[in-house]
């Protein structure tokens, strides 16, 4: 699956949120699963941290922020 990232993603309300936030957000968008006009994503912080090279604690903090 893929998701769209728009210019406003980086200049809008999340501007300056930090690389960790954008990494997790981008990962979530790329892994969306559409179901009946709604998109769902399940994220396991341990799995995400291994895939994108972050600590589990940083992934959990990014998810809490998001």
């Amino acid at each position: 699956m893929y998701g769209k990232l728009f210019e406003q993603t980086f200049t809008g309300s999340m501007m300056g949120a930090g690389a960790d936030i954008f990494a997790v957000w981008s990962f979530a968008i790329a892994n969306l699963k559409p179901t009946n006009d709604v998109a769902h994503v399940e994220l396991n912080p341990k799995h995400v941290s291994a895939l994108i090279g972050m600590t589990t604690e940083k992934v959990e903090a990014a998810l809490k922020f998001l």
Side-chain angles (χ1 to χ4, degrees), residues 19-36:
D20 292 348
I21 303 300
F22 284 102
V24 174
W25 181 241
S26 299
F27 182 88
I29 291 171
N31 286 279
L32 291 172
K33 306 293 185 230
T35 307
N36 300 328

Side-chain angles (χ1 to χ4, degrees), residues 5-62:
L5 283 177
F6 298 97
E7 179 181 355
Q8 294 88 345
T9 301
F10 302 95
T11 60
S13 62
M14 286 181 31
M15 182 177 72
D20 292 348
I21 303 300
F22 284 102
V24 174
W25 181 241
S26 299
F27 182 88
I29 291 171
N31 286 279
L32 291 172
K33 306 293 185 230
T35 307
N36 300 328
D37 297 329
V38 177
H40 297 273
V41 64
E42 269 190 51
L43 300 176
N44 177 321
K46 289 181 183 179
H47 186 229
V48 174
S49 69
L51 291 173
I52 63 177
M54 293 172 57
T55 66
T56 302
E57 292 78 16
K58 285 187 176 185
V59 172
E60 289 171 344

